[in-house]
Amino acid sequence: MDPKHNRKPFVGGNLKMNGSRAMLKEIIDRLNPLKFDDYVEVAIAPPSIFLDLAHRSVRKGVNVAAQNAFNCTKGAYTGEVSPEQLKDLGIDWVILGHSERREIFKESDELVASKVGHALKSNMKVIACIGEKLEERESEKTEEVVIRQLQAIAVKVDDWKNVVIAYEPVWAIGTGKVATPQQAQDVHLIIRDWLAKNISEKVAQDTRIIYGGSVKGTNSAELAKQFDVDGFLVGGASLTEDFIKIIECFIPSEN
């Protein structure tokens, strides 16, 4: 079978520090009736204070993800949340290494990798983010940066079945700019080739690599056609009805 068709598409909605209980209800009310379970896996990542509300409100088949987690079980880490606490709340997914965490909060490759490792050991599923800045792309360092970030994470991963890799070019996040379908495909192929050469061919073919960076209903269908694009991590559009359009690009039209 075509390896792409062995990989169930994944669409995550990262609400970032946006929303309210009322807005979250609107988002979930749009998601719950949608029949996508056979075709695409979906998760929403609200701010941490709304995780319990989201978990209690979504129907079975809609996943809830945290936007961050620390690399320790417990301790004097004011403001942090552990994977174990998330699991106790019923949360199975977490986004780690997002460029906003790396840039604004100065999370290093090593810290991100440590967080990934600890979350996986806590039986969480991880959306691990990697991606280059504009100046790095313009100086032709995209592959160098993406592989450096991926290598750091790979050291901490024993079993890749609970990892989704999100390629998010920093220059396309929240800017309105978006990688062309070919640009996205090129980097996703670099990532998959690295996995094949350094981990295993099976991991390379089974691991979902999703794209993030100004994904909208108007560009998602073309991006989704790329062989190595297995879904999306959606930012601003996850707050609107556009999120449904993005999910629907993976659902056969007859449904």
Side-chain angles (χ1 to χ4, degrees):
M1 180 183 282
D2 181 341
K4 183 177 177 74
H5 296 136
N6 281 332
R7 300 189 296 267
K8 189 175 188 179
F10 185 97
V11 175
N14 180 12
L15 278 59
K16 306 189 181 183
M17 197 177 73
N18 293 301
S20 61
R21 288 182 298 172
M23 179 183 281
L24 184 62
K25 183 179 185 302
E26 290 177 5
I27 292 169
I28 292 172
D29 284 349
R30 287 194 291 264
L31 276 176
N32 279 346
L34 197 60
K35 297 178 180 179
F36 54 73
D37 304 51
D38 290 341
Y39 308 105
V40 55
E41 189 168 8
V42 173
I44 56 168
S48 59
I49 58 171
F50 299 135
L51 283 169
D52 185 49
L53 175 60
H55 177 62
R56 288 186 283 108
S57 302
V58 295
R59 67 165 173 81
K60 184 179 180 181
V62 179
N63 299 291
V64 177
Q67 297 179 18
N68 185 36
F70 201 48
N71 61 350
C72 295
T73 302
K74 60 182 180 177
Y77 304 105
T78 301
E80 291 293 338
V81 175
S82 73
E84 290 84 353
Q85 290 169 326
L86 293 171
K87 288 290 290 186
D88 187 50
L89 202 60
I91 307 302
D92 292 325
W93 283 92
V94 61
I95 300 169
L96 294 172
H98 192 282
S99 66
E100 290 155 4
R101 299 296 313 177
R102 293 176 185 265
E103 290 299 305
I104 300 170
F105 300 100
K106 308 305 178 186
E107 294 192 2
S108 65
D109 292 349
E110 292 72 26
L111 177 58
V112 170
S114 177
K115 287 182 168 189
V116 170
H118 185 73
L120 291 172
K121 284 182 172 61
S122 305
N123 295 314
M124 291 204 75
K125 299 174 183 179
V126 173
I127 303 165
C129 302
I130 57 178
E132 82 284 5
K133 302 176 193 175
L134 180 60
E135 59 267 29
E136 291 166 337
R137 172 165 282 274
E138 289 178 340
S139 58
E140 299 183 350
K141 292 183 178 178
T142 295
E143 181 171 355
E144 175 187 331
V145 171
V146 167
I147 295 305
R148 185 197 76 220
Q149 294 170 342
L150 181 59
Q151 281 179 317
I153 291 168
V155 171
K156 299 293 185 178
V157 178
D158 294 323
D159 186 348
W160 287 84
K161 74 177 184 297
N162 288 328
V163 178
V164 170
I165 298 171
Y167 167 59
E168 294 200 302
V170 180
W171 49 270
I173 298 174
T175 63
K177 296 179 181 178
V178 61
T180 66
Q182 190 58 55
Q183 285 175 322
Q185 167 60 24
D186 289 346
V187 180
H188 283 223
L189 181 57
I190 287 170
I191 294 167
R192 204 173 302 283
D193 282 349
W194 187 90
L195 291 173
K197 292 172 184 174
N198 294 275
I199 309 299
S200 74
E201 184 64 35
K202 178 170 174 50
V203 165
Q205 295 305 325
D206 290 350
T207 299
R208 291 173 290 185
I209 305 172
I210 63 178
Y211 171 79
S214 297
V215 178
K216 301 179 178 68
T218 53
N219 59 31
S220 57
E222 284 303 310
L223 285 160
K225 290 177 183 176
Q226 302 305 305
F227 185 81
D228 290 296
V229 174
D230 301 315
F232 304 109
L233 185 57
V234 184
S238 67
L239 303 171
T240 72
E241 293 182 11
D242 228 20
F243 191 49
I244 302 301
K245 295 178 184 176
I246 294 167
I247 294 169
E248 286 178 335
C249 79
F250 293 104
I251 301 175
S253 56
E254 62 265 27
N255 290 277

